[in-house]
Amino acid sequence: MEAVTVIMATLMGISLAAASGFRVFLPPFLLSVAARLDIVWFLELDLVGTQFEFFTSTLAIIVLGIATAAEFAGYYAPWIDNALDTIATPASILAGVVMTAIVLEGSEPIFQWAVAIVAGGGVAATIQSATVATRSLSSTFTFGLGNPAVATGENIASVALTLIAILIPFISAFVVILVVALLVRMKRRSEATAQ
């Protein structure tokens, strides 16, 4: 991989990892469709013969599509949304690591996996932790009635961030920085209010 391609792929991977902090299955689903249709303009995601070859298979796309629809619907069901957060936390970290590794396929393996684990997993964990805290506050103060509004915001953020990451990754990096800063600020403010 050329240096510019590695930088763009890194930005894309980290942005997709951030989007998976909002919704676990949507970013991998859209990435698998984009890779299958070869619409990532700056990166050739030819995964044939690699450890990620299954990712663009028809079965993977169908399973990820069904999982995406189920996840979106589940977050609108009272109290199920809180149970989903328990499952989604480790799953979002794993999704962030894997998507970052996928887009960096073809780079040096040490770099690929170091960035995937540290940056991809770290950003996904940060976003997911903030969404869990937000939903917890909503559940506490609105008895779960405000959770659909939180879910809608997370859905919009995940779709927007995923599309920006795939289509214009250099802009998505700035969006990720803003989202992380905003969520950390909101979390600190909510912790101060709770005390």
Side-chain angles (χ1 to χ4, degrees), residues 30-39 45 55-59 61:
L30 291 181
L31 179 61
S32 66
V33 170
R36 178 77 173 265
L37 299 176
D38 196 26
I39 59 172
L45 277 176
F55 189 68
T56 56
S57 70
T58 303
L59 179 61
I61 291 171

Side-chain angles (χ1 to χ4, degrees), residues 1 22 52 88 98 125 138 150 172 174:
M1 283 183 139
F22 290 109
F52 300 113
V98 170
S138 174
V150 172
S172 66
F174 296 113

Side-chain angles (χ1 to χ4, degrees), residues 2 12 28 33 49 66 72 77 86 94-95 104 124 128 132-133 135 139 142 147 157 163 173 175 184 191:
E2 295 178 19
M12 180 182 183
V33 170
I66 292 169
F72 269 60
T86 305
L94 180 62
L104 287 170
Q128 177 62 21
V132 168
R135 189 173 336 284
S139 295
T142 68
N147 290 9
L163 292 176
V175 174
V184 168
E191 288 173 351

Side-chain angles (χ1 to χ4, degrees), residues 23-24 124 156 175:
R23 289 293 172 264
V24 174
I156 291 168
V175 174

Side-chain angles (χ1 to χ4, degrees), residues 120-153:
V123 168
T126 300
I127 299 288
Q128 177 62 21
S129 297
T131 63
V132 168
T134 303
R135 189 173 336 284
S136 176
L137 284 173
S138 174
S139 295
T140 301
F141 292 113
T142 68
F143 301 104
L145 298 176
N147 290 9
V150 172
T152 300

Side-chain angles (χ1 to χ4, degrees), residues 76-101:
Y76 286 103
W79 305 112
I80 291 177
D81 55 352
N82 289 308
L84 281 174
D85 276 339
T86 305
I87 299 165
T89 298
S92 68
I93 295 168
L94 180 62
V97 169
V98 170
M99 282 185 300
T100 305

